[in-house]
Amino acid sequence: MSEEKMLVDVRELKQYFPVRTGWGKVLPLKAVDGVSFTIRHGETLGLVGESGCGKTTVGRTLLRLYKPTGGEFYFDGELVTEKNMPSLRKQMQMVFQDPYSSLNPRMTVEDIIGEPLDVHHLYSNKAERREKILSLMETVGLNAEHATRYAHEFSGGQRQRIGIARALAVNPKFIVCDEPVSALDVSIQAQVVNMFEELQEKLGVAYLFIAHDLLVVRHISHRIAVMYLGRMVELADADEIYDHPMHPYSKSLLSSVPIPDPRIARERRRIVLSGDIPSPLNAPSGCPFRTRCPYGQDDCAECMPELKEVESGHFVACHHMEDAARMKEGVQLR
Amino acid sequence: MSEDMPKKNPLSLQIDLKKFEPATEEEKKQQDVMSKSTTFFRDSMKKLFRNPLAVFSIIVLVLILLVIIFAPMIVPYGYSEMLKFNGTKDKTAMNLAPFTYSVNEQKYMAEHGVKLFPHIFGTDELSRDYFIRVVYGTRVSLAVGFFASLIVLVIGVLYGSISGYCGGRVDLIMMRIVDVIYSLPDMLVIILLSVVLKELLDGSTGIIAKLGTNMVSIFIVFGMLYWVGMARLVRGQILSVKENEYVLAAKSIGTKSSRIVRRHILPNCLSVIIITTALQIPSAIFTESFLSFIGLGVAAPMPSLGSLANNARQGMQSYPYKLMFPALTICLIVLALNLLGDGLRDALDPKLRK
């Protein structure tokens, strides 16, 4: 990684949740266990992984919706602490997954979008507030006449636009997008994803784009990180990771992407993993993926593999990359 | 038609694309037109007024309210005033039947050729006009019901929302306190309190003296004991509402906790709160009537529906109507409020319907 100033610099982020098991016993659920990554100004980092691997937790912990158990988070060179978080909230925002539950049903669109302005006192009078709200609505493609309506009167796509307008209200530099298109149908997904791209060009915001739809992530991301059981297993440029995935987990994940060409799809070999994702309460020792890894060996259980830079800008956490590399031929995507 | 249209195979069953015309600007606009915006409140009021039982209860309640507000201005008798004839007590006016006059009154009317205001419900054993006593009794009972519910509302909502929003250990301790209060026998507390308060408030003047110490103790008991149901309900509702993503969104914006509770959580619990309050009023009226009936209610001569019924018990066989009027009034009020509460529940929160 170069020495240029990163917007987001996360080091060894840890988020454990206490889980009560029986009488007074409390076990830590390691939702995120030592994740490090950086995001440049105006860059999109895609974060993928299967359900329950801690993607959403990473996003929420960055915004201090949870109190992190460990690790450091530098935002624009400044260490984020409990103290300076209230002022930093103006610079980081979040777009939520479910457009149906992320908007208060008792508030008008105007009040929903205006709330960040109210909270941070970003206007001097009523007229200025309204003007700002209307311009935000225009930015995300909503009509001014929608302002006095309630969230339940809108379609999923429009609701998500309201959510995006709310996130943009404070003019943030960084937005965590927590599966913002998963709840939308495909035609609307494209519109919303394209809007995210346009907004990035226009406003220069950086995204942490969390999703499980790998094609959407590839479309929007500059770089992609793959997570498994609270750990990051691979991090590389978007095209690099799709063309040359190195970690066995990434390979299997990417091989599950449907290809809209039957000829290629027929020749392609899918890597189907056996077994279920282990419980994060009771994670395997050493490499967390070893229980399902086709290349798992005895020494995998001994220690956790570090995220190493294998090629320039391509980080992988695996003890036996050479063995895994042989899998390469079978899974190439396009 | 543009040139880049795909060519149609003459054998194909595919729809001929040439038959389609591009939408004009006007037609595109039509797509955007949305139905008239209605708020949640307006929508539920519409539903409420479509419910015949609820409308009937509202009419009954409004009529009762009008009567208890305006009757004392029209009726020329006082609730504690014994009927007099020529400056002395009219002994013939005791226990009159409805719409009858005492012997003295009949004489007076015959002499002067005027009509006196009728005793609509008759008179009681102290020759007081019974109608005006029932009206004042209804006033007292409704006021007690209303203010007791208000006390329950304020304390219950405050306590429940703090407990529900804070969660964790705070919630645990606060709810155990509620459990303790829930297990106190309320009747015993009321009796003990009225004894203690009698000592404390003796010699006080103004509204407290007029209502009597028993009434004050009823309010205190409601404030101390009856809010627990409301607190539990609000807490439960808040626990479920605060899991919504819009609360998380508000937190990520940097909204303060008090604002989150006020702007996001409580408005979404409002329907439950309104319904519970509406159903709390009749239960408070019932409690007050019951306490007055066993002699722990308002101080004489101030009537309440319960104490009127209690007094009527003694002459029940000779003057059954004296029991009927206050009893019927209680029934009517409680029934109307319960039906209104049910109607509100159906209109505001259809999920709660069984």
Side-chain angles (χ1 to χ4, degrees):
Chain A
M1 239 163 282
S2 62
E3 282 304 300
E4 80 173 274
K5 206 173 146 201
M6 296 292 174
L7 178 67
V8 171
D9 188 353
V10 179
R11 294 177 194 167
E12 288 296 311
L13 186 73
K14 287 191 174 100
Q15 178 68 59
Y16 299 169
F17 296 109
V19 174
R20 259 173 254 276
T21 51
W23 290 92
K25 258 208 230 159
V26 178
L27 278 176
L29 186 149
K30 298 182 176 176
V32 177
D33 195 12
V35 164
S36 310
F37 59 89
T38 56
I39 302 174
R40 295 185 192 93
H41 283 271
E43 186 191 39
T44 305
L45 177 69
L47 192 58
V48 295
E50 61 196 296
S51 306
C53 71
K55 308 179 296 254
T56 300
T57 311
V58 169
R60 291 187 176 176
T61 307
L62 289 187
L63 283 168
R64 293 265 164 160
L65 295 175
Y66 305 132
K67 204 170 181 294
T69 315
E72 286 164 337
F73 170 26
Y74 292 89
F75 186 80
D76 224 356
E78 189 182 353
L79 179 68
V80 177
T81 59
E82 205 62 40
K83 249 188 192 156
N84 61 13
M85 193 59 205
S87 57
L88 284 177
R89 285 204 188 278
K90 260 188 269 184
Q91 300 179 46
M92 323 178 213
Q93 282 294 315
M94 186 153 183
V95 174
F96 289 83
Q97 171 177 10
D98 183 358
Y100 292 88
S101 84
S102 64
L103 304 176
N104 188 340
R106 297 291 156 84
M107 281 164 87
T108 59
V109 170
E110 189 175 348
D111 284 339
I112 291 172
I113 299 175
E115 179 155 41
L117 304 174
D118 296 343
V119 168
H120 294 290
H121 311 291
L122 293 180
Y123 55 88
S124 47
N125 54 42
K126 280 255 163 70
E128 194 187 337
R129 177 177 187 260
R130 190 164 169 84
E131 193 184 314
K132 279 193 174 177
I133 290 167
L134 289 181
S135 85
L136 280 166
M137 288 178 68
E138 202 190 315
T139 313
V140 296
L142 291 167
N143 295 338
E145 66 196 70
H146 291 155
T148 53
R149 289 176 181 276
Y150 288 81
H152 68 89
E153 299 175 62
F154 293 92
S155 66
Q158 284 172 315
R159 280 160 178 248
Q160 201 56 290
R161 286 168 196 268
I162 298 168
I164 294 165
R166 171 173 63 189
L168 290 175
V170 290
N171 227 341
K173 288 183 192 158
F174 173 51
I175 299 179
V176 174
C177 308
D178 184 7
E179 309 205 14
V181 293
S182 315
L184 308 174
D185 66 45
V186 183
S187 57
I188 307 292
Q189 273 188 9
Q191 287 178 14
V192 173
V193 167
N194 288 338
M195 194 175 76
F196 272 115
E197 286 192 313
E198 282 162 24
L199 291 173
Q200 187 164 50
E201 275 168 32
K202 210 155 65 179
L203 307 169
V205 284
Y207 297 128
L208 175 65
F209 198 93
I210 302 166
H212 53 241
D213 186 327
L214 298 165
L215 288 175
V216 170
V217 173
R218 180 182 192 173
H219 179 74
I220 194 170
S221 305
H222 300 105
R223 288 187 302 145
I224 289 176
V226 181
M227 274 184 80
Y228 182 77
L229 218 59
R231 314 250 336 162
M232 200 166 273
V233 294
E234 190 159 1
L235 172 68
D237 286 344
D239 290 335
E240 167 75 9
I241 207 165
Y242 273 83
D243 296 338
H244 310 290
M246 288 194 186
H247 194 280
Y249 178 65
S250 319
K251 289 183 181 199
S252 105
L253 198 66
L254 292 171
S255 79
S256 70
V257 175
I259 300 173
D261 184 337
R263 249 165 257 145
I264 299 177
R266 225 175 287 134
E267 283 162 20
R268 183 174 70 143
R269 194 165 59 90
R270 267 207 66 189
I271 305 165
V272 181
L273 293 176
S274 59
D276 283 327
I277 184 165
S279 160
L281 263 182
N282 187 13
S285 63
C287 175
F289 187 56
R290 71 179 164 83
T291 51
R292 298 169 75 192
C293 182
Y295 306 96
Q297 290 167 23
D298 292 343
D299 59 339
C300 286
E302 276 159 24
C303 63
M304 194 88 80
E306 295 290 315
L307 198 63
K308 281 175 295 200
E309 188 159 10
V310 181
E311 285 165 26
S312 162
H314 195 148
F315 296 78
V316 184
C318 184
H319 287 308
H320 300 286
M321 216 102 60
E322 316 75 50
D323 290 340
R326 270 187 266 130
M327 248 167 76
K328 222 173 187 176
E329 299 84 54
V331 289
Q332 264 188 10
L333 261 167
R334 267 180 272 182
Chain B
M1 290 290 111
S2 56
E3 295 302 308
D4 51 317
M5 255 299 173
K7 250 190 200 153
K8 189 181 180 295
N9 186 335
L11 293 175
S12 154
L13 289 174
Q14 200 188 337
I15 301 167
D16 191 357
L17 289 175
K18 295 213 172 82
K19 285 179 183 162
F20 288 92
E21 274 174 42
T24 61
E25 281 304 308
E26 203 176 314
E27 280 165 335
K28 274 181 194 164
K29 237 180 209 154
Q30 274 177 350
Q31 292 271 309
D32 291 336
V33 174
M34 296 173 92
S35 63
K36 203 170 160 273
S37 174
T38 61
T39 66
F40 176 80
F41 184 74
R42 239 185 282 153
D43 193 43
S44 42
M45 284 304 110
K46 223 162 99 191
K47 256 189 242 165
L48 182 70
F49 282 103
R50 237 181 273 144
N51 181 345
L53 276 177
V55 174
F56 173 74
S57 333
I58 291 172
I59 293 171
V60 167
L61 286 174
V62 167
L63 279 180
I64 290 177
L65 274 179
L66 287 178
V67 168
I68 63 170
I69 290 167
F70 293 110
M73 298 174 193
I74 297 162
V75 180
Y77 309 111
Y79 71 91
S80 60
E81 170 200 312
M82 290 181 268
L83 295 176
K84 290 202 170 100
F85 181 70
N86 287 341
T88 53
K89 193 178 158 195
D90 183 0
K91 281 192 179 148
T92 57
M94 280 188 285
N95 295 325
L96 290 177
F99 289 104
T100 54
Y101 293 99
S102 70
V103 178
N104 286 334
E105 277 170 341
Q106 282 167 355
K107 257 193 236 160
Y108 178 82
M109 284 192 296
E111 276 171 26
H112 293 81
V114 287
K115 200 140 173 62
L116 286 172
F117 198 85
H119 305 299
I120 299 169
F121 288 175
T123 58
D124 69 357
E125 72 284 353
L126 290 171
S127 56
R128 291 176 293 199
D129 185 77
Y130 205 56
F131 175 68
I132 202 74
R133 282 186 71 72
V134 172
V135 165
Y136 270 90
T138 314
R139 268 188 174 189
V140 169
S141 291
L142 268 180
V144 169
F146 183 77
F147 284 109
S149 303
L150 203 71
I151 294 171
V152 167
L153 177 77
V154 171
I155 300 178
V157 168
L158 266 179
Y159 196 93
S161 50
I162 291 170
S163 177
Y165 186 73
C166 293
R169 199 157 293 159
V170 177
D171 184 38
L172 195 79
I173 293 168
M174 288 178 90
M175 280 302 119
R176 289 302 80 74
I177 293 173
V178 162
D179 288 344
V180 169
I181 292 173
Y182 211 70
S183 59
L184 287 178
D186 44 358
M187 211 41 66
L188 199 67
V189 175
I190 292 176
I191 294 167
L192 285 175
L193 256 179
S194 53
V195 171
V196 173
L197 282 174
K198 202 162 263 167
E199 294 294 315
L200 284 175
L201 299 176
D202 243 4
S204 61
T205 49
I207 195 132
I208 292 175
K210 209 170 183 187
L211 280 172
T213 48
N214 285 330
M215 210 56 339
V216 178
S217 75
I218 287 179
F219 282 131
I220 293 177
V221 164
F222 267 98
M224 274 176 60
L225 303 180
Y226 283 78
W227 54 267
V228 286
M230 177 67 100
R232 279 184 167 173
L233 227 114
V234 170
R235 167 188 172 264
Q237 192 68 20
I238 282 180
L239 281 182
S240 77
V241 169
K242 82 168 180 182
E243 292 306 316
N244 278 314
E245 269 190 341
Y246 55 80
V247 175
L248 214 56
K251 270 187 206 163
S252 76
I253 286 166
T255 316
K256 287 195 189 75
S257 294
S258 61
R259 192 185 151 100
I260 290 179
V261 172
R262 269 185 296 114
R263 296 277 318 220
H264 295 277
I265 297 183
L266 278 184
N268 286 291
C269 303
L270 208 61
S271 51
V272 170
I273 295 171
I274 290 175
I275 294 157
T276 320
T277 310
L279 294 174
Q280 182 76 52
I281 297 174
S283 115
I285 290 175
F286 237 54
T287 310
E288 189 277 330
S289 300
F290 170 68
L291 289 172
S292 297
F293 189 78
I294 61 169
L296 289 170
V298 288
M302 177 66 93
S304 96
L305 292 174
S307 66
L308 286 174
N310 185 33
N311 290 339
R313 221 164 28 124
Q314 288 137 13
M316 202 165 77
Q317 285 177 336
S318 320
Y319 316 109
Y321 56 88
K322 282 209 280 183
L323 183 58
M324 293 295 284
F325 291 126
L328 272 178
T329 317
I330 296 177
C331 287
L332 213 58
I333 293 173
V334 172
L335 184 70
L337 281 170
N338 271 322
L339 289 176
L340 179 63
D342 281 356
L344 276 173
R345 186 198 59 201
D346 291 351
L348 290 168
D349 204 344
K351 268 178 286 173
L352 280 179
R353 198 181 307 177
K354 281 174 204 117

